[in-house]
Amino acid sequence: MANPGKKPAVGAPVARRAMLGMLAAGAAGIAAAPHLQRGWEGFLGAASQTDPTGLTGLLPNPGGFRYYSVVGSVPRRNETTYELKIDGLVDRPMSFTLADLRAMPQTRIVHDVLCTDGWRVDDTPFEGVKLADLLDAAGVGRQTRAVRFTCFDGAYSESLTLEQARRSDVLIALKMQDKPITHEHGGPVRLYVAPMYFYKSAKWLSGISVTGEVVPGYWEERGYAIDGWLDGEDRTHGDAAA
């Protein structure tokens, strides 16, 4: 996701602004060459994880997304090392491998992605397992009120109410733009909450815990709204599946 907390520094040195301008111009040309675009995306993803300034999050990507992590480096997970755990107030604590998740019924959602930094990517397809299906598999008790999400970057977290988590447009996503989600985009598995700002869609998802109340997430602890609804969204029904 993008950095919802950092803004461009006021009075940045001219040399740094010039460098960003040249890189931005280069990115526009890259958009015309798919193989170069993939290389640029890989560069941005790798650079953002070792960039203490956050400047790489300001550089344009031909795909429209920005890259950001709240930690300096994020370990990678793959077919053999990835695991998603479900625990907390459930009848049956469970864990899922990538193969387990891929074997479940998949839902595809096409929706605009919006970040609090102001950028957006229209008509973005995500595909994965409905969060509601995983909650049903684990068994959720009547006393529960919310769901908390943790990530294998070791720092990021998010929360939804149980009602929000059961919407049909909330996914445990395995694909984005009809391709497996890359590490740079929060893969191999991320949360996708279509009707809310993108900071609610936690990257590098590793844990789902059912709780008795909403636990503020990483950015909510820093002043962001717990309910990050996009303007005009239907807050009662989640029928954006395609």
Side-chain angles (χ1 to χ4, degrees):
M1 63 161 278
N3 174 5
K6 292 185 180 180
K7 302 295 180 184
V10 176
V14 172
R16 185 171 67 181
R17 293 200 300 269
M19 177 192 71
L20 291 175
M22 288 187 292
L23 288 171
I30 288 171
H35 64 287
L36 292 178
Q37 179 177 336
R38 288 191 295 270
W40 177 252
E41 289 178 342
F43 162 74
L44 286 180
S48 68
Q49 294 186 52
T50 57
D51 174 20
T53 69
L55 285 175
T56 49
L58 306 178
L59 295 176
N61 168 27
F65 288 88
R66 301 292 187 267
Y67 297 87
Y68 183 73
S69 167
V70 299
V71 298
S73 180
V74 181
R76 292 176 180 266
R77 297 288 185 266
N78 57 32
E79 297 278 350
T80 59
T81 59
Y82 182 78
E83 182 180 39
L84 176 63
K85 294 183 178 181
I86 301 182
D87 58 18
L89 302 176
V90 296
D91 299 331
R92 298 171 294 278
M94 306 181 76
S95 63
F96 297 85
T97 65
L98 277 176
D100 294 333
L101 294 171
R102 288 168 180 160
M104 298 182 70
Q106 305 290 299
T107 296
R108 187 173 185 267
I109 293 173
V110 179
H111 199 281
D112 297 344
V113 169
L114 283 80
C115 180
T116 52
D117 275 352
W119 61 263
R120 66 184 292 154
V121 182
D122 294 337
D123 300 325
T124 302
F126 280 84
E127 186 174 333
V129 180
K130 290 181 183 178
L131 175 56
D133 290 348
L134 295 183
L135 296 176
D136 288 343
V140 176
R142 293 181 178 272
Q143 74 274 31
T144 61
R145 295 290 182 272
V147 182
R148 183 170 186 261
F149 308 92
T150 51
C151 308
F152 61 79
D153 68 350
Y156 204 82
S157 63
E158 259 306 334
S159 285
L160 296 171
T161 67
L162 186 59
E163 180 181 10
Q164 293 165 355
R166 286 194 173 281
R167 290 173 60 105
S168 63
D169 52 3
V170 176
L171 299 181
I172 302 305
L174 307 174
K175 291 184 177 181
M176 185 183 81
Q177 296 175 320
D178 299 316
K179 299 177 182 178
I181 298 177
T182 64
H183 176 78
E184 290 76 21
H185 283 296
V189 177
R190 70 176 297 161
L191 178 66
Y192 179 55
V193 185
M196 295 186 179
Y197 280 102
F198 211 34
Y199 70 88
K200 299 294 292 187
S201 296
K203 293 161 62 171
W204 304 302
L205 185 66
S206 61
I208 299 172
S209 185
V210 179
T211 60
E213 60 183 12
V214 171
V215 179
Y218 181 91
W219 285 116
E220 287 87 352
E221 290 179 339
R222 291 157 176 79
Y224 271 63
I226 290 179
D227 291 327
W229 295 105
L230 297 171
D231 291 342
E233 288 295 327
D234 184 341
R235 303 186 182 191
T236 304
H237 303 94
D239 298 324

